Amino acid sequence: MKKVLFFVIVILVVSCSKNPIPKPENFLDEETMENIMYDVAVLQGASANAPEQLIEKNINPKDYIYKKYKIDSATFHQNNRYYAANVRKYKHMYKRVLERLQNQK
């Protein structure tokens, strides 16, 4: 019984210590990801408050981000998922984005 309990504990410790999300193949550094998050927030604000401006200028927020950073949706989602797996880092990134938005106000 002790051996089984020890084995279960070892398995739990080993499985919990690994990062569940592997680093994406097309990895975006933290600064680039932060810039993308900032641009997404600005575009979401623009589309909520003045959607006619985006329509007038023929800007699709998602396409704009993908073209600006030369990425595709899969790259964005994989990197977003990777950074979100580390809650502390992700929260810190969002905090810096919010500070930039406040300064831009």
Side-chain angles (χ1 to χ4, degrees):
M1 182 68 180
K2 287 183 181 181
K3 289 181 182 181
V4 171
L5 183 60
F6 177 75
F7 182 72
V8 169
I9 291 173
V10 168
I11 295 295
L12 286 172
V13 169
V14 170
S15 67
C16 292
S17 65
K18 292 182 181 178
N19 186 354
I21 308 297
K23 193 173 187 177
E25 189 175 308
N26 295 326
F27 182 70
L28 301 173
D29 61 75
E30 195 171 323
E31 183 180 348
T32 302
M33 193 63 191
E34 219 173 275
N35 289 334
I36 291 172
M37 291 163 53
Y38 174 80
D39 287 344
V40 167
V42 170
L43 287 168
Q44 284 178 340
S47 67
N49 293 313
E52 64 279 350
Q53 297 246 341
L54 295 176
I55 293 169
E56 244 176 56
K57 296 177 181 176
N58 200 23
I59 296 174
N60 179 336
K62 287 182 182 179
D63 291 339
Y64 177 81
I65 295 294
Y66 300 148
K67 286 178 186 174
K68 180 177 179 180
Y69 293 97
K70 297 178 178 92
I71 59 173
D72 59 7
S73 61
T75 300
F76 171 74
H77 291 292
Q78 288 169 356
N79 279 274
N80 193 45
R81 189 170 162 224
Y82 174 78
Y83 282 110
N86 184 338
V87 177
R88 287 185 183 151
K89 182 180 278 190
Y90 203 61
K91 184 178 176 182
H92 187 66
M93 290 169 66
Y94 259 107
K95 185 179 176 185
R96 290 192 304 251
V97 168
L98 289 173
E99 287 172 0
R100 284 175 64 183
L101 290 169
Q102 289 295 328
N103 291 336
Q104 194 69 356
K105 245 184 185 179

